Amino acid sequence: MPCCAFRNLLLILSFIKKNYMDNDDIILKGVAARTGLSLKGVTAVVKLLDEGATVPFISRYRKELTGSMDEVAVRAVESALKTERELASRRDFIRNAISEAGALDSKMEESIAKASSMTELEDIYAPYKPKKRTRATIAREKGLEPLAKMIMTGRPENCTESAVRFVGKNGVVDTADALAGASDIIAEWASESPRLRNITRNHYQRTASITCTVAKGKEDELENSPFAQYGGFSQSVRRMSSHQYLAMRRAEAEGLIKIKYELPEKGRELTDRLVDSFGPRYASKECSDLIDSAVEDAAKRLLCPSVENEVSASLKENADKVAIDIFAGNLRQLLLGAPLKGHRILAIDPGYRTGCKVVALDTQGNLLDDSVIYPVPPRNDFEGSCRIVENMIRKHNLDTVAIGNGTASRETEKFVKDSGLIGERSVYIVNENGASVYSASDVARKEFPDKDVTVRGAVSIGRRLIDPLAELVKIDPKSIGVGQYQHDVDQAKLKDMLDYTVMSCVNAVGVDVNTASEQLLSYVSGIGPALAKNIVTYRVANGDFLTRRELRKVPRLGDKAFELSAGFLRIPGGKEPLDNTGIHPESYGLVKEMAKSIGKDVSELPGKAALLDSIDIKDLAGRGMGGQETMTDIIAELKKPGRDPRTDDDNEAFTPGVEDFGHITEGMVLPGIVNNITAFGAFVNLGIKENGLLHISRISKRRISSVGEVLKLGQRIEVKVIDIDRSRKRIGLELIQNTER
């Protein structure tokens, strides 16, 4: 290694040692800054995550270590940790690349170390990034970089004279050619200046607008599409909403519109600011004119297009986040829908031409019987359908009816009620989104190898009523269809969030290890698909688990997997009563000490609130028996052993106010059920084929930031029809009555 290079390396290493902590400390402080959480708690969470612990496990069973961080906070640490580590990796790459270019000094090292975002890092790296063949690289090949540097000093009074000595060399034709090449190099330097990039970036975010124009020859197609409103649409970057931006991008992708950025006064203010911010303070007139002209060229040709791409990426990232969060929130509501346990179900998947698929299910969702009826058009076989349903109800002692909310749902519901067969039985309308995906899946084929997809779909509808969580985990979350523009957002981020949401819900509820499917078990903390399969295989071969300890006999379920999963697995009616609670086996000894402190046996504690309240957890904690947070959670579990945190939902069939779209008139007041929630409003099932749109501005008199503040999926509401687009069959609604959440 050359002596100067070695000295430079020693200088850099000394600078790092003197001014910066090690990489792990930088990352931990970065995570704490991003989340606003204590460094001590963040450090504990990161250590646990690196040891393989899951978010549900950490938030539930390691509160003393984390300072009682809840699941939201632990998830935030996990996300921020990923971001900080990606930054650290990119920081190392850029540092090495600049070092190899021989340009890394203590000042550059400091800039790299202080960069807190990818944008800052990329601005630093821009001058050293490998480039395609550009006008500036061609000028450098002609040997014109010294001329560009000369002009940037501002000293030459006559730049043309300075350019003379470059003429005739490396293909430089004349002084004009030389000065043009030097200007191209200066323009590239301007475009790579972090200061100028920040000025441009801030100007776009503050003043730019996005304007849509109709693509040539697409006027009629756009007018008849869902994106008709974007034909002459214009909105400032600052005020652009997530759903608007995603809709515009979809319309552009379909070739219906063209999107462009516009600056006030054609960007003259921006250009003037860039010119004033670049070049030497004092320069000759000719140098100043050349530099100003190069900066104007850079703004038009390099800076603005580059920043527009950045702004587009930023808008897309923000829009994706909003859409993904809405999707996850809707999915969480569906997954945590109240189960209807202990009921025997008559489930119906409605249909016209192919008939209505009818199945009988026992309390565990096992298929007892199946048939097809044709009570709706075109056959209208009312009597024959009644005989089949009556026989199935009597034969299998069915006490509840579940009807899918898809095609012919309303007509099927009317048949069921008009038949007089249901008596006092309850009728429920069940969201069947994704049922067809399940019915054609490998999971469904494995469960019902001798049944066709129609029967499997009806079974799925019935099981969703019995236990929404247990059934919906069998379906790809993206196929459940609650959200906005799900196919337009970052698919990797969407999958990560939806998978996490399912895992969070499964572990919040807990899983009966003796009845759970492989799919449900795979979402339990520390389990995964392979161990889930092993658990089911072992259960089939050896019978039900009687204690949590028996899980250790499952092949490949080691100490770590047991630690992470045991608290979330339930064994109702087993040998150990605590096995049917959310109390972790590692705390069973603590429970005994808590019982002993009041002179009782553990078996006397479950469900006895007065006894449990008499336990002095502060005293026990002071004597080193355990942490107060853990004991508080133990008492909460013992007060309601085996509790299900899911709340009751009212999904019972409602009586629509209209029978078809043609009957709707403006001003009409109708009952409805919230079918989907988006950033811009809610879609409401009115009992007909077409859903109505309840725009966010029509939901509340007070200003709300999200629809979820007021409404939830499946909620019954009363709405007023305020607008009808009969050509496109669209219904605009206003909320006039809202049941309390």
Side-chain angles (χ1 to χ4, degrees):
M1 179 183 292
C3 184
C4 62
F6 183 71
R7 284 199 302 270
N8 191 39
L9 177 61
L10 288 177
L11 175 68
I12 294 166
L13 291 174
S14 174
F15 181 85
I16 295 172
K17 183 177 180 180
K18 181 179 179 182
N19 294 283
Y20 295 98
M21 52 207 109
D22 65 35
N23 212 31
D24 287 344
D25 286 341
I26 294 172
I27 289 171
L28 290 172
K29 289 205 168 186
V31 172
R34 285 180 184 276
T35 59
L37 299 168
S38 73
L39 181 59
K40 182 180 178 181
V42 165
T43 302
V45 170
V46 170
K47 184 175 185 295
L48 289 165
L49 288 170
D50 287 345
E51 291 172 352
T54 63
V55 172
F57 175 80
I58 295 169
S59 60
R60 180 83 70 90
Y61 299 115
R62 292 297 179 263
K63 290 182 178 179
E64 278 81 12
L65 290 177
T66 67
S68 294
M69 282 192 199
D70 61 17
E71 189 171 338
V72 174
V74 176
R75 172 66 173 174
V77 171
E78 183 183 51
S79 298
L81 178 63
K82 181 180 178 182
T83 299
E84 284 295 323
R85 284 180 170 165
E86 288 173 350
L87 268 175
S89 176
R90 187 61 178 167
R91 194 178 285 121
D92 289 343
F93 173 84
I94 289 173
R95 183 185 293 114
N96 292 335
I98 295 176
S99 177
E100 289 174 4
L104 188 65
D105 55 21
S106 58
K107 185 177 180 181
M108 180 67 74
E109 174 63 45
E110 183 177 8
S111 297
I112 293 171
K114 286 184 175 179
S116 60
S117 69
M118 284 292 185
T119 299
E120 288 180 67
L121 281 174
E122 295 306 326
D123 280 353
I124 294 169
Y125 183 43
Y128 310 97
K129 188 180 293 186
K131 299 175 178 64
K132 297 177 181 178
R133 187 173 171 80
T134 64
R135 284 162 49 173
T137 57
I138 293 170
R140 287 191 181 92
E141 291 168 3
K142 291 181 177 182
L144 295 171
E145 190 162 19
L147 176 59
K149 290 180 178 178
M150 196 182 306
I151 294 169
M152 283 298 295
T153 66
R155 288 194 291 269
E157 293 293 336
N158 191 323
C159 294
T160 303
E161 288 183 3
S162 300
V164 170
R165 65 187 178 90
F166 295 92
V167 176
K169 299 176 182 178
N170 302 315
V172 178
V173 177
D174 51 27
T175 55
D177 186 24
L179 292 174
S183 293
D184 287 338
I185 294 172
I186 293 171
E188 185 172 271
W189 288 339
S191 73
E192 292 171 346
S193 162
R195 177 174 172 75
L196 266 58
R197 293 190 69 83
N198 273 328
I199 289 173
T200 307
R201 197 178 285 128
N202 292 336
H203 192 78
Y204 264 81
Q205 291 171 344
R206 183 170 50 86
T207 69
S209 295
I210 300 179
T211 300
C212 303
T213 55
V214 184
K216 187 176 180 180
K218 296 289 185 177
E219 292 81 4
D220 291 342
E221 189 175 343
L222 177 65
E223 182 61 29
N224 295 314
S225 77
F227 309 107
Q229 70 192 81
Y230 294 100
F233 180 80
S234 181
Q235 182 64 278
S236 67
V237 168
R238 285 188 305 171
R239 297 175 63 84
M240 181 66 68
S241 65
S242 62
H243 66 275
Q244 287 174 334
Y245 190 67
L246 290 175
M248 285 165 45
R249 286 178 64 100
R250 170 82 70 83
E252 185 179 46
E254 293 182 7
L256 300 176
I257 64 172
K258 299 286 186 182
I259 298 175
K260 66 177 181 178
Y261 286 83
E262 291 185 346
L263 294 173
E265 298 181 5
K266 298 184 179 180
R268 189 65 248 175
E269 179 189 346
L270 172 62
T271 304
D272 290 343
R273 287 191 63 199
L274 295 174
V275 167
D276 291 342
S277 302
F278 193 73
R281 180 169 296 181
Y282 303 105
S284 68
K285 185 177 186 310
E286 192 168 353
C287 285
S288 181
D289 289 345
L290 280 170
I291 293 170
D292 291 354
S293 178
V295 173
E296 289 190 29
D297 174 51
K300 181 179 179 180
R301 184 169 56 86
L302 301 171
L303 270 171
C304 287
S306 176
V307 167
E308 284 176 10
N309 287 336
E310 279 188 24
V311 172
S312 294
S314 177
L315 286 170
K316 175 65 163 56
E317 184 178 3
N318 292 335
D320 282 2
K321 184 181 185 307
V322 172
I324 289 170
D325 286 348
I326 288 171
F327 199 134
N330 289 346
L331 177 63
R332 183 178 292 275
Q333 289 184 28
L334 286 179
L335 293 174
L336 295 181
L340 194 69
K341 295 181 178 179
H343 289 260
R344 299 171 70 86
I345 308 295
L346 175 75
I348 306 176
D349 184 2
Y352 289 115
R353 184 180 56 83
T354 57
C356 302
K357 276 59 69 179
V358 187
V359 299
L361 306 176
D362 67 15
T363 57
Q364 298 299 318
N366 297 310
L367 178 62
L368 305 173
D369 201 353
D370 66 271
S371 187
V372 182
I373 59 176
Y374 300 89
V376 300
R379 294 200 188 181
N380 292 313
D381 182 13
F382 185 86
E383 292 184 2
S385 299
C386 284
R387 284 195 298 272
I388 292 172
V389 170
E390 183 180 18
N391 179 60
M392 197 174 283
I393 289 174
R394 186 173 60 253
K395 180 180 178 181
H396 301 291
N397 194 28
L398 307 179
D399 54 45
T400 304
V401 180
I403 302 172
N405 69 340
T407 303
S409 175
R410 191 184 183 290
E411 293 87 340
T412 303
E413 176 200 338
K414 186 174 185 302
F415 154 73
V416 168
K417 290 183 174 180
D418 289 349
S419 69
L421 299 172
I422 59 172
E424 297 300 317
R425 297 175 181 86
S426 296
V427 179
Y428 293 85
I429 299 296
V430 179
N431 188 324
E432 63 178 53
N433 284 344
S436 60
V437 175
Y438 160 77
S439 62
S441 69
D442 291 337
V443 175
R445 282 193 291 271
K446 185 176 179 180
E447 284 192 280
F448 304 106
D450 59 339
K451 299 296 181 181
D452 65 23
V453 293
T454 60
V455 173
R456 298 170 191 161
V459 170
S460 181
I461 289 169
R463 285 179 172 177
R464 289 186 193 196
L465 185 60
I466 295 171
D467 192 334
L469 180 60
E471 190 62 20
L472 289 171
V473 295
K474 300 175 184 176
I475 303 169
D476 181 349
K478 289 188 292 184
S479 300
I480 296 176
V482 285
Q484 61 182 35
Y485 300 106
Q486 66 192 65
H487 300 295
D488 299 278
V489 302
D490 185 305
Q491 295 300 293
K493 290 181 179 178
L494 177 63
K495 184 179 187 306
D496 176 66
M497 176 58 85
L498 297 187
D499 285 348
Y500 166 74
T501 300
V502 177
M503 180 182 73
S504 172
C505 292
V506 168
N507 289 284
V509 172
V511 172
D512 183 341
V513 71
N514 287 321
T515 61
S517 65
E518 281 184 33
Q519 292 71 37
L520 188 59
L521 285 167
S522 70
Y523 283 103
V524 173
S525 168
I527 298 296
L531 277 181
K533 184 175 182 180
N534 290 353
I535 290 171
V536 172
T537 301
Y538 182 90
R539 188 176 72 199
V540 170
N542 299 280
D544 286 354
F545 293 92
L546 299 180
T547 67
R548 282 170 168 165
R549 291 192 307 274
E550 288 183 32
L551 286 163
R552 293 180 178 271
K553 298 178 182 179
V554 175
R556 305 185 69 82
L557 201 156
D559 291 344
K560 190 65 177 180
F562 181 81
E563 177 190 38
L564 296 178
S565 64
F568 303 102
L569 297 171
R570 307 282 189 268
I571 302 180
K575 292 182 178 179
E576 169 57 74
L578 296 180
D579 284 349
N580 192 35
T581 70
I583 301 171
H584 199 284
E586 67 187 10
S587 296
Y588 286 2
L590 177 56
V591 179
K592 290 179 181 177
E593 290 295 331
M594 293 168 68
K596 185 179 177 181
S597 72
I598 56 172
K600 299 293 180 180
D601 186 77
V602 171
S603 62
E604 300 178 72
L605 297 183
K608 305 294 176 58
L611 274 180
L612 292 164
D613 287 339
S614 70
I615 297 173
D616 189 342
I617 60 176
K618 287 185 178 180
D619 176 64
L620 290 172
R623 291 192 279 125
M625 295 295 182
Q628 287 191 46
E629 293 91 343
T630 297
M631 285 188 278
T632 299
D633 287 348
I634 287 171
I635 288 174
E637 284 288 336
L638 289 173
K639 283 182 177 180
K640 296 182 179 179
R643 64 176 176 172
D644 192 322
R646 292 172 285 184
T647 56
D648 290 335
D649 285 334
D650 184 11
N651 293 319
E652 193 164 353
F654 76 109
T655 303
V658 288
E659 295 188 358
D660 60 52
F661 183 85
H663 293 164
I664 292 179
T665 59
E666 290 186 16
M668 184 177 282
V669 175
L670 299 170
I673 297 177
V674 178
N675 249 6
N676 192 11
I677 291 175
T678 69
F680 55 86
F683 288 96
V684 180
N685 175 13
L686 301 173
I688 58 176
K689 181 180 179 181
E690 296 79 13
N691 286 328
L693 173 61
L694 184 56
H695 193 269
I696 189 171
S697 62
R698 297 286 185 171
I699 290 176
S700 175
K701 291 181 180 179
R702 63 184 175 87
R703 187 172 182 178
I704 57 175
S705 59
S706 70
V707 179
E709 292 180 33
V710 180
L711 301 177
K712 66 176 183 177
L713 289 180
Q715 185 173 351
R716 291 167 181 264
I717 57 177
E718 210 166 23
V719 292
K720 180 179 180 180
V721 178
I722 58 172
D723 180 62
I724 303 172
D725 184 341
R726 298 200 179 274
S727 62
R728 291 189 287 179
K729 289 196 170 183
R730 292 186 175 182
I731 308 165
L733 304 173
E734 180 178 59
L735 184 65
I736 62 170
Q737 185 174 322
N738 172 33
T739 57
E740 292 298 323
R741 296 188 61 174

